[in-house]
Amino acid sequence: MCGIIAYVGPRQAYPVLIKGLHRLEYRGYDSAGICLMNKNLNIYKCKGKVSDLEKHVKGEDIGGTLGMAHTRWATHGEPNEVNAHPHFSQDKSLAVIHNGIIENYATLRSELKNRGYKFVSDTDTEVLAHLIYDILKHEKVKLEEAVRIALNHVIGAYAIVVLSKDNPDKIVAARKGSPMVIGVGEDEYFVASDATPIIEYTNNVIFMNDEEIAVIERDRPIQIRTVRNQKKTPYVQKMEMSLTAIEKGGFDHFMLKEIYEQPRSLRDSMRGRLLVNQGVINLGGIKEYEQKLLNAKRIIITACGTSWHAGLVGEYLIEDLARIPVEVEYSSEFRYRNPILYEDDIIIAISQSGETADTLAAIELAKSKGATVLGICNVVGSSIARATHAGVYTHAGPEIGVASTKAFTAQVAILTMMALKIAGSKGTIPRSKFQRYLTELEAIPDKVEKILTLDDQIKEIAEIYKDVKNSIYLGRGYNLPVAYEGALKLKEISYIHAEGYPAAEMKHGPIALIDEQMPVVVIATKNGTYDKVISNIMEVKARHGKIIAVVTEGDEQVRALADHCIEIPETEDFLVPLIATVPLQLLSYHIAVMRHCNVDQPRNLAKSVTVE
Ligand code: F6R
């Protein structure tokens, strides 16, 4: 939800900022802007993508060794040049970029209007520019102090960077609720929404905490204070992230690269944790909370989107293997519905980005009621990783494609290990089975590799169905979340309407939609409900629907009924989601490419949803 970057140092700022914006573009891509300090604050902005901004600045003065830039996902005000960031104060002496939402902006705006300030945009951000300027003018304080006072008037979430013409070597950055990382080079500093634009220059980073304001000045040490004016010592950490991990590496799209990375990302998520020879699962990050987990009377999983689907798989896993009741909650609902929480409840918050605003709020709510909150996050050092009591990183590596793929399978792998670990310790599955399950889990990455060889066959199916308007995805048991996830993948990147449904529920409504045009994707692997799913397939065929079935290798029965079969290797029931999801990712990908959709940056979406 908006990407921000700033730079001060000996280099020309423009190339650093533009490259940084490209790396952050997954966060929002409806407009972009840049501000360069070169005696004056030179601002250039436009509707569209970062590449449009590059065209827009052709022939302009883009010199300067200090600057900031922004790529936007619109909240207040439609995406256009005027609403694009940075926003100027009235006299153009100050400029602000912002990621988040100022909730009391309307009140602040009318107060400022009454004091004679003229607003040119519809954004909440412009309020900040005028407010900070107003404080500077009347209180005669330093820029950072004016920012601090202004933020005390603000309700909402923000990551902001402020530049002032009168402070040509200074960047003031602050955050609350939206992420912000500072990169510390030898004689230069970077500020960004995440570390991806920074790691090319330095591994030394400071993750800013909520309500902190950093003063970043050329050739001077960084100073951090809180909005309540307490001094903080900056804590510099080493960031482990390679440049190749955030580049396309020969693939046409990040999404395809990330689908293909899954054998590797799954191995990484299990490395050092799944110790098959010793018959042990070792989840170091939550070791301290192991006993609590074993004794838990209830586990609540909270997440959004694809991570919520992983949570649903988690529910089946933990209830089936570890026999602990589980509820799965959309974070956005959970946080507002006054949920009943007990101190011995364990909450598991799942998030790829670790920045999803609703999930963060759900965590804070659970903590305020005394519950223990464990996280499953992909982004190291992210807000959710830091807000939870303990957690397990997924180690999927940076996920840049907006549609989540490898993060989902890594989340499910972690949940599988958690469920098995509890089950092993509680004795809810016999030792012999436990050992077999570990061996089978270890074999999953190889099975995913095998599924990836089906890419051409899946592409042929995509060619046949690329022009449909609607589709249904059906699954039962462990495969129901797979159906939901398959449908979400298709709709978000190809804009084809897709619904995931429990296969048996179809006859309670959606069956009315089925005709000869309607593709129905059925996950029909050989597990507990196999025979029932076959009946559901017959019901679709009786109404001339088209069946694309994901089946277990060697299946004859479904093959005789389905229009297309995608065969996946045999595995334990509870491990099927880890492999059955992969062909559905490929199917969505190819359909979207064939429809000329922007696969990595689908319309209206952003990778990191830092607004509620
Ligand atoms: C779908 C997708 C989104 C995210 C959701 C939660 O492909 O990526 O539905 O899963 O926005 O994001 P995280 O996991 O970062 O909390």
Side-chain angles (χ1 to χ4, degrees), residues 338-403:
N338 194 14
I340 299 164
L341 284 168
Y342 302 107
E343 288 192 3
D344 56 358
D345 280 336
I346 303 266
I347 314 296
I348 301 177
I350 308 175
S351 175
Q352 186 286 128
S353 63
E355 302 296 345
T356 303
D358 284 321
T359 305
L360 253 176
I363 291 168
E364 293 308 334
L365 174 74
K367 280 188 0 193
S368 74
K369 306 241 177 185
T372 300
V373 188
L374 307 179
I376 298 178
C377 284
N378 194 35
V379 177
V380 176
S382 57
S383 302
I384 291 176
R386 286 182 298 143
T388 43
H389 291 112
V392 185
Y393 281 119
T394 43
H395 295 322
E399 191 179 67
I400 314 279
V402 164

Side-chain angles (χ1 to χ4, degrees), residues 449-492:
E449 225 150 60
K450 202 165 173 202
I451 292 169
L452 293 171
T453 64
L454 304 178
D455 201 6
D456 285 343
Q457 184 209 339
I458 295 170
K459 210 168 170 177
E460 280 168 24
I461 301 174
E463 185 65 53
I464 299 169
Y465 294 100
K466 66 177 193 308
D467 296 319
V468 298
K469 299 225 164 6
N470 297 293
S471 60
I472 292 183
Y473 285 66
L474 301 177
R476 292 184 84 147
Y478 278 107
N479 289 336
L480 172 59
V482 177
Y484 287 153
E485 177 56 10
L488 177 63
K489 265 333 53 117
L490 185 69
K491 77 180 101 175
E492 69 181 332

Side-chain angles (χ1 to χ4, degrees), residues 426-546:
K426 280 181 74 169
T428 45
I429 43 176
R431 193 71 212 168
S432 56
K433 247 188 181 178
F434 179 75
Q435 192 57 39
R436 195 180 83 220
Y437 286 175
L438 299 198
T439 310
E440 199 44 47
L441 176 57
E442 195 182 39
I444 289 295
D446 292 345
K447 296 189 176 179
V448 171
E449 225 150 60
K450 202 165 173 202
I451 292 169
L452 293 171
T453 64
L454 304 178
D455 201 6
D456 285 343
Q457 184 209 339
I458 295 170
K459 210 168 170 177
E460 280 168 24
I461 301 174
E463 185 65 53
I464 299 169
Y465 294 100
K466 66 177 193 308
D467 296 319
V468 298
K469 299 225 164 6
N470 297 293
S471 60
I472 292 183
Y473 285 66
L474 301 177
R476 292 184 84 147
Y478 278 107
N479 289 336
L480 172 59
V482 177
Y484 287 153
E485 177 56 10
L488 177 63
K489 265 333 53 117
L490 185 69
K491 77 180 101 175
E492 69 181 332
I493 61 168
S494 73
Y495 319 137
I496 293 173
H497 172 228
E499 288 205 42
Y501 244 87
E505 275 292 306
M506 187 186 58
K507 56 186 166 295
H508 298 288
I511 199 161
L513 295 169
I514 293 177
D515 59 16
E516 54 284 357
Q517 315 296 336
M518 177 70 99
V520 181
V521 178
V522 189
I523 302 100
T525 49
K526 281 206 173 129
N527 55 27
T529 51
Y530 177 68
D531 291 338
K532 313 271 175 209
V533 173
I534 290 188
S535 308
N536 301 138
I537 292 176
M538 308 260 242
E539 288 156 13
V540 174
K541 283 316 295 173
R543 284 143 190 99
H544 309 292
K546 299 277 182 293

